[in-house]
Amino acid sequence: MKNALQQNAIALAIIAAFPFFSAYAFAADDHNTKQDNQQNRQTQIERVTIKGDRPTTLPTEIPTTIEGISAKTLATTINAIDAEDALKYLPSLLVRKRYVGDYNHAVLATRASGTGNSARSMVYADGILLSNLLGNGATFTPRWGLVTPEEIQRVDVLYGPFSAAYSGNSVGAVVDYVTRMPEKFEAHAKLVGFSENFQEYGTDKKFSGKQLSGSLGDKQGAFSWWVNINRLDSDGHPIAFTNKLVSTGITGSAGKPVTGAIAGKNPQGQDWWLMAATGQYHTIQDHAKVKLAYDITPTLRASYTYGVWRNDMNSSVESYLRDTTGNAVYSGDVNIAGKKYTINPTDMANSKNQLEHITHGLHVKSNTKGTWDWELAASLYDYNKDIARAPTVAIPSADVGGAGRITDGSGTGWNTLALKGIWRPNAEHIAEFGYQREAYKLRTLVSDTTDWINDAASKRFSAFRGDSELSSIYLQDAWRINPTWKTILGGRFEQWSAQDGAISNASTTLAFGTRKENYFSPKAALAFRATDELTIKASLGRAVRMPTVSELYQGTVSTQTIVNNDPNLKPEKSWTSEWSAEQSLNDGKGLLRATFFHEDTDDALYSQTNTLVTPNITNIQNVDKIRTNGLELAYQNSDVMINGLDLAASVTYADSKIVKNDKFQMSVGKWQPRVPQWRANFVASYRANDQLTTTLGVRYSGRQYGSLDNSDSNAFTYFGFSSFLVADLRVRYKFDKQWSVAIGIDNLNNKKYWAFHPYTQRSVVAELKFDY
């Protein structure tokens, strides 16, 4: 069977990737000039061609490596159900998406930042900040649900903190989504169905779902509008497994005799029992977005975006344990193989989420292409409703009530303001400058309730709150020294403050003092056009990643003492550099890029155990220094050997080590958590004709570690971080200009792999689409 699958995969690989790795490390022209003069370039591959009047965060001059994907490439090559799927094959990127509709753990990893470092990247859509910079970690995923794949015009990724236009959170990458805005009447509809066969431990089931999307838009004179709605109904596979170490059992006959527990080993190689599958999420997500734009003058456009994202989630449990009469066991003292284990009521807990998040975005931009242009952008992201419910007593199913707790995050959110200017005094200089403000507000209230399903909150159990604000001014000048040399020099001054922080238990509230700090981050880049086909580039930048309000203020209070947080955390400070060489191929149809990157990060923020104090303290702390050296190779070409065969590939090597950590010496010399040594992607696409396209994608990630001391040596297990090699297939057929159908398989080789939780196993995706 395995050989047959391999043969079929090879046969179906008469494919090619439309060139969507638009790899270049230095933008020589502004976006409008790129669009107007694209046909005159030596390199005719897909470039950033965003219209100057579109809402985007991208600066005019880009002093760093940039990759991108267009709507056309996305439709033909990727089984895209969620917005983050658009990034699937871009170099050095990984989104930790565990199942379709993963709304709270789909974190972005970059060259020198793992999936535990969500605050080291920035994600925007039409100028609205989607990155959840309230915290840093797997639970602070970007709000991907505010974008649907079919509304994407294009996505661009800037690597590294080399543009003065972004804060220190850009140290890993900046992702910029630009969604559709019509030039004439448009109508779109898409129906998607998907199904996964999941087999892990004692679970062997099929998990399926469906998605329906619709869009309308038009432009009438100076006014244009766009409406998009989307509903996703997804049954995800279980993401967690109740377990007990064999060594914790008490030898004897006490406890209810049970069968069904599955023997295994944890990441440290210790024997344990797997007793249940938990976190099997059924999510229903609704997305609605309205975009309006008005051309005040031929060179001045105002636009407004309103978006709503709702998520209702019910989590269920599958217990593997059975008593002597065959009934499922969920809690209490049990006896397995002659040892007693206690299953606490929350070990096999169900949960429910009810979320309603709202965004507003306002954008006014001039596009004269003359001496002066300016831009104003403001956005708001509001947790209008954010309720999580879970029981605290043993229950047999998700539909049984009982005592529990309600976590209410309503009132949490962030807002941004940006004022930008562009000055073009002559043909040699383009200066960009601006003022930016980002404000974050954390509000979390945990309350007891008599019925975790239906009742209202009663007594407070705990609470967290805090605000932070970052105000910045920046200046960046692109100087074309002569036809072969160009440089960009810039700097960013930032003033950060944190205030109104407090942490509470049932009866006590502890407040924190106000912090205010200033930092300056210089930026520099240089490009040399050695020949018409070869360009050599270098970039250098400093980034200061401020502690988030969650890192500062979330924790517990015990006998008037703060536990599990440190309001005096230092910010992360990184110096990052890259050197690139780019060679145009095949008369401008292809590109080969080699990039060496280096990063030194002082005071990196990680959860660890401080062994210098007694008793030891485990919380988020500053790791003294992490150093990363790496090499990234990216290749893409069109019509390789035969017409219609397009290829794209990338390989990334990263040597990322902890070089100093006084609080936890056992971690020194070890690999940075969740940053693999090797990553690679390959995409091939074959356009048989204007109707039929077939695509094969391959993704690889090397061994990772989840702990700072790399003690988790057993990777292919729950809590583990494993390597993987998976293949994806997509076949798309266009019946005519309006109708198309696609079928695909993700994880064709059915690889079982882990990033703390299990990733998706082999899944089939079918899609019917209408475009007018």
Side-chain angles (χ1 to χ4, degrees):
M1 179 67 179
K2 183 177 180 180
N3 290 335
L5 284 174
Q6 291 173 341
Q7 292 170 1
N8 290 337
I10 293 171
L12 288 167
I14 307 174
I15 48 171
F18 182 86
F20 63 90
F21 289 146
S22 57
Y24 68 102
F26 208 97
D29 306 300
D30 67 29
H31 300 315
N32 303 300
T33 305
K34 288 189 184 94
Q35 185 179 49
D36 296 338
N37 298 334
Q38 189 177 15
Q39 299 303 316
N40 297 323
R41 288 186 174 276
Q42 292 89 355
T43 303
Q44 296 299 326
I45 62 173
E46 181 183 56
R47 296 294 193 182
V48 178
T49 56
I50 300 170
K51 286 192 173 182
D53 56 359
R54 295 288 174 87
T56 174
T57 69
L58 292 179
T60 298
E61 299 290 332
I62 301 172
T64 179
T65 299
I66 182 170
E67 301 279 355
I69 180 171
S70 69
K72 180 179 179 181
T73 304
L74 179 63
T76 56
T77 62
I78 298 178
N79 300 316
I81 304 175
D82 299 316
E84 62 268 33
D85 293 332
L87 309 178
K88 186 181 290 186
Y89 303 116
L90 294 179
S92 302
L93 301 184
L94 172 70
V95 177
R96 183 178 176 251
K97 177 183 169 182
R98 303 167 300 172
Y99 59 90
V100 175
D102 190 354
Y103 65 96
N104 60 359
H105 276 72
V107 177
L108 176 65
T110 57
R111 289 169 175 169
S113 305
T115 53
N117 290 316
S118 63
R120 286 170 60 88
S121 60
M122 306 183 79
V123 179
Y124 291 88
D126 298 323
I128 299 173
L129 180 64
L130 299 186
S131 285
N132 188 346
L133 301 180
L134 296 163
N136 180 50
T139 58
F140 295 94
T141 182
R143 303 289 75 186
W144 308 106
L146 266 297
V147 180
T148 60
E150 61 274 14
E151 64 173 327
I152 294 173
Q153 186 70 36
R154 66 170 299 112
V155 188
D156 294 293
V157 180
L158 279 65
Y159 292 76
F162 306 118
S163 173
Y166 296 103
S167 70
N169 300 98
S170 67
V171 61
V174 176
V175 179
D176 187 81
Y177 285 84
V178 175
T179 64
R180 301 183 64 84
M181 207 63 196
E183 297 295 329
K184 58 181 180 180
F185 180 76
E186 295 184 21
H188 308 270
K190 187 171 78 168
L191 176 64
V192 179
F194 49 91
S195 183
E196 172 195 11
N197 288 318
F198 183 83
Q199 297 174 321
E200 196 63 67
Y201 300 131
T203 301
D204 185 353
K205 292 183 178 180
K206 180 180 290 186
F207 298 95
S208 303
K210 53 188 177 292
Q211 183 187 59
L212 178 63
S213 296
S215 303
L216 286 174
D218 196 6
K219 183 175 183 180
Q220 300 161 323
F223 178 69
S224 55
W225 57 272
W226 175 265
V227 177
N228 175 259
I229 58 174
N230 178 287
R231 165 161 278 208
L232 173 69
D233 187 334
S234 174
D235 267 313
H237 62 248
I239 57 173
F241 300 89
T242 303
N243 59 82
K244 299 290 180 182
L245 288 173
V246 171
S247 60
T248 63
I250 300 174
T251 303
S253 59
K256 180 187 296 183
V258 295
T259 58
I262 296 173
K265 291 184 180 294
N266 73 359
Q268 286 70 38
Q270 299 169 309
D271 292 324
W272 65 0
W273 293 109
L274 285 304
M275 301 178 174
T278 64
Q280 194 272 297
Y281 292 170
H282 176 211
T283 61
I284 297 177
Q285 298 178 16
D286 292 310
H287 156 104
K289 183 181 290 182
V290 177
K291 298 198 302 176
L292 308 174
Y294 185 75
D295 295 326
I296 302 171
T297 71
T299 60
L300 181 64
R301 168 175 283 199
S303 59
Y304 169 73
T305 300
Y306 174 77
V308 179
W309 175 75
R310 294 175 179 169
N311 183 86
D312 288 332
M313 183 279 289
N314 290 315
S315 172
S316 59
V317 173
E318 178 189 6
S319 176
Y320 301 152
L321 303 182
R322 296 295 182 269
D323 61 19
T324 55
T325 60
N327 295 317
V329 176
Y330 292 89
S331 63
D333 291 340
V334 299
N335 193 289
I336 304 173
K339 285 189 174 183
K340 186 193 81 168
Y341 302 87
T342 299
I343 304 175
N344 298 314
T346 56
D347 286 344
M348 299 186 188
N350 304 292
S351 62
K352 293 178 179 289
N353 278 177
Q354 295 175 314
L355 313 178
E356 182 179 87
H357 293 185
I358 296 173
T359 61
H360 300 269
L362 177 64
H363 195 262
V364 182
K365 185 174 184 177
S366 72
N367 187 35
T368 66
K369 303 179 186 178
T371 304
W372 290 96
D373 272 312
W374 60 275
E375 180 180 349
L376 180 150
S379 70
L380 170 68
Y381 192 100
D382 178 40
Y383 285 39
N384 185 58
K385 181 179 182 180
D386 197 280
I387 301 293
R389 293 173 174 265
T392 55
V393 295
I395 57 173
S397 73
D399 298 324
V400 177
R405 292 204 175 97
I406 300 173
T407 301
D408 187 351
S410 304
T412 297
W414 57 88
N415 62 79
T416 67
L417 174 66
L419 304 173
K420 305 177 184 180
I422 301 174
W423 180 40
R424 306 178 184 92
N426 50 50
E428 290 76 32
H429 287 273
I430 298 178
E432 299 180 66
F433 53 93
Y435 165 81
Q436 296 170 346
R437 176 185 177 274
E438 303 168 11
Y440 301 92
K441 181 171 67 172
L442 175 69
R443 300 291 185 268
T444 304
L445 174 63
V446 183
S447 305
D448 293 325
T449 182
T450 55
D451 185 342
W452 72 278
I453 296 178
N454 297 310
D455 282 0
S458 55
K459 182 182 177 182
R460 184 180 74 189
F461 178 77
S462 63
F464 316 98
R465 63 173 293 143
D467 299 340
S468 69
E469 183 176 313
L470 183 67
S471 295
S472 312
I473 56 173
Y474 70 91
L475 173 64
Q476 179 173 289
D477 179 54
W479 175 24
R480 187 182 297 279
I481 302 170
N482 56 45
T484 59
W485 287 93
K486 182 180 178 181
T487 185
I488 294 180
L489 299 175
R492 183 180 183 90
F493 177 79
E494 299 174 317
Q495 183 177 84
W496 173 77
S497 63
Q499 58 276 332
D500 297 329
I503 183 171
S504 307
N505 61 13
S507 58
T508 303
T509 296
L510 297 177
F512 305 100
T514 298
R515 291 178 59 181
K516 183 173 289 187
E517 300 171 16
N518 301 325
Y519 297 93
F520 178 72
S521 298
K523 319 281 183 176
L526 183 67
F528 171 65
R529 185 180 294 276
T531 69
D532 287 344
E533 291 76 30
L534 176 64
T535 304
I536 301 171
K537 306 147 189 178
S539 302
L540 174 68
R542 184 183 192 234
V544 181
R545 202 279 276 179
M546 309 301 179
T548 63
V549 286
S550 175
E551 289 171 313
L552 293 171
Y553 302 133
Q554 277 198 324
T556 59
V557 180
S558 177
T559 61
Q560 305 296 314
T561 302
I562 304 169
V563 181
N564 290 336
N565 76 305
D566 179 2
N568 298 309
L569 287 170
K570 301 176 184 177
E572 293 184 347
K573 295 170 282 290
S574 300
W575 277 100
T576 302
S577 57
E578 70 169 35
W579 297 264
S580 292
E582 294 179 2
Q583 177 72 44
S584 176
L585 305 172
N586 194 14
D587 294 327
K589 292 182 179 180
L591 187 73
L592 176 64
R593 173 175 60 83
T595 299
F596 173 77
F597 55 91
H598 170 85
E599 180 178 295
D600 275 338
T601 297
D602 295 333
D603 298 318
L605 290 165
Y606 270 100
S607 177
Q608 68 172 4
T609 300
N610 186 346
T611 60
L612 298 180
V613 297
T614 303
N616 296 162
I617 295 176
T618 300
N619 60 2
I620 296 172
Q621 301 168 19
N622 290 111
V623 174
D624 296 307
K625 183 180 285 290
I626 297 176
R627 177 169 295 149
T628 302
N629 291 302
L631 178 66
E632 181 180 270
L633 302 176
Y635 163 84
Q636 62 97 51
N637 208 348
S638 297
D639 299 323
V640 180
M641 294 183 290
I642 60 175
N643 287 333
L645 179 61
D646 301 333
L647 302 176
S650 68
V651 177
T652 303
Y653 169 81
D655 181 86
S656 188
K657 298 286 184 62
I658 300 168
V659 295
K660 184 180 180 184
N661 190 11
D662 292 341
K663 297 185 183 71
F664 189 38
Q665 285 287 340
M666 293 178 63
S667 67
V668 176
K670 303 299 174 61
W671 292 96
Q672 182 181 181
R674 308 194 189 189
V675 178
Q677 192 172 17
W678 291 97
R679 284 195 184 111
N681 293 317
F682 171 79
V683 182
S685 220
Y686 179 65
R687 303 182 308 277
N689 49 49
D690 291 339
Q691 294 174 298
L692 178 64
T693 304
T694 59
T695 303
L696 177 70
V698 179
R699 297 170 283 136
Y700 172 77
S701 176
R703 176 73 166 92
Q704 302 179 47
Y705 294 94
S707 60
L708 285 166
D709 62 358
N710 297 175
S711 60
D712 48 327
S713 58
N714 183 26
F716 289 92
T717 185
Y718 180 45
F719 293 162
F721 291 84
S722 67
S723 62
F724 62 84
L725 175 66
V726 297
D728 309 316
L729 178 69
R730 181 173 175 85
V731 179
R732 182 173 184 260
Y733 185 80
K734 283 184 66 68
F735 296 101
D736 51 37
K737 291 183 178 181
Q738 281 76 45
W739 291 96
S740 65
V741 64
I743 186 166
I745 302 175
D746 285 336
N747 195 355
L748 177 65
N749 52 320
N750 201 29
K751 179 68 174 179
K752 296 182 179 181
Y753 58 110
W754 300 79
F756 193 98
H757 305 285
Y759 277 104
T760 303
Q761 297 176 16
R762 184 187 294 125
S763 304
V764 177
V765 181
E767 171 190 308
L768 178 65
K769 195 165 188 283
F770 172 82
D771 297 289
Y772 178 81

